[in-house]
């Protein structure tokens, strides 16, 4: 039975909000860990963080698929009125974010596979290699994971800046569509 949040046409559903905020936290966490672990010398801590990063990436990939399926099956609330260029920029940003939600973890998986480092999700479920082991391919793929992650981080910052603009300058209630209900 849908909740009041799910039936309000001016707001996203509770599931959409939950996936949005969970994935937002995962992006920040995985990006932060990725930047931090990249600079560490080889150690048990670095290996543990790499495994955590890979587990987060696989989880992020699965949740992104769930989010996309949910989005395709559930109509979003109507757009808040804004100039056409802003609406186009918002739609382009969202579209690119969805592409990167899949590209970043898939490129990371491909790199890990090519480098010969299997992914065992949470230390329990071994995942198949995404590509065959090939050190030259791994070196070619490696920078693309970093570049795609940086692109996603920049788009997230643009997305947040747009939400802040709408909240504090436009004061049009756009952010309320994705903010959990108060009270």
């Amino acid at each position: 039975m849908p909740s009041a949040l799910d039936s309000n046409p001016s707001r996203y559903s509770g599931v959409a909000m939950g996936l949005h905020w969970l994935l937002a936290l995962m992006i920040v966490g995985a990006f932060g860990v990725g930047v931090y672990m990249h600079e560490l010398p080889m150690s048990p801590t670095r290996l543990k963080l790499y495994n955590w990063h890979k587990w987060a990436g696989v989880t992020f990939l699965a949740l992104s698929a769930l989010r996309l399926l949910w989005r395709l099956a559930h109509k979003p609330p109507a757009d808040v009125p804004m100039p056409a260029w802003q609406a186009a920029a918002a739609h382009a940003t969202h579209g690119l974010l969805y592409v990167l939600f899949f590209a970043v973890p898939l490129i990371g998986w491909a790199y890990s596979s090519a480098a010969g480092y299997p992914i065992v999700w949470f230390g329990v479920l071994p995942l198949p290699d995404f590509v065959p082991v090939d050190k030259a391919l791994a070196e070619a793929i490696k920078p693309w994971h970093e570049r795609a992650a940086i692109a996603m981080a920049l788009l997230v910052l643009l997305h947040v800046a747009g939400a802040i603009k709408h909240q504090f300058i436009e004061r049009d209630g756009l952010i309320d569509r994705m903010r959990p209900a108060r009270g």
Side-chain angles (χ1 to χ4, degrees):
M1 181 164 167
S3 71
L5 271 181
D6 291 338
S7 62
N8 184 342
S10 67
R11 296 174 53 80
Y12 282 91
S13 69
V15 171
M17 285 185 221
L19 288 169
H20 174 272
W21 291 110
L22 177 60
L23 290 170
L25 289 172
M26 290 185 75
I27 287 171
V28 171
F31 186 80
V33 167
V35 169
Y36 177 72
M37 72 185 189
H38 184 266
E39 300 301 323
L40 289 177
M42 187 53 69
S43 66
T45 299
R46 183 177 181 180
L47 293 174
K48 185 189 306 183
L49 290 174
Y50 264 87
N51 279 326
W52 182 91
H53 186 76
K54 289 192 250 184
W55 300 342
V58 171
T59 304
F60 186 83
L61 183 61
L63 289 173
S64 293
L66 179 62
R67 182 177 183 184
L68 179 60
L69 291 172
W70 183 267
R71 172 64 182 80
L72 292 173
H74 296 84
K75 186 178 177 185
D79 286 339
V80 170
M82 65 182 78
W85 73 268
Q86 285 183 17
H91 288 292
T93 299
H94 286 123
L96 288 170
L97 279 170
Y98 270 97
V99 168
L100 291 169
F101 290 164
F102 292 92
V104 171
L106 288 173
I107 294 168
W109 188 352
Y111 166 69
S112 191
S113 295
Y117 302 118
I119 298 174
V120 182
W121 196 31
F122 293 109
V124 176
L125 180 64
L127 300 180
D129 285 337
F130 196 61
V131 297
V133 174
D134 181 331
K135 299 297 181 183
L137 178 60
E139 288 305 309
I141 293 171
K142 185 177 183 179
W144 288 103
H145 180 62
E146 182 178 339
R147 290 173 186 150
I150 290 169
M152 183 164 57
L154 291 172
L155 283 173
V156 166
L157 289 174
L158 181 63
H159 177 71
V160 170
I164 289 170
K165 174 193 173 288
H166 280 277
Q167 180 68 15
F168 296 108
I169 296 173
E170 304 293 332
R171 297 181 186 267
D172 57 12
L174 180 126
I175 203 168
D176 292 330
R177 298 166 4 133
M178 190 54 81
R179 184 170 47 189
R182 293 185 240 171

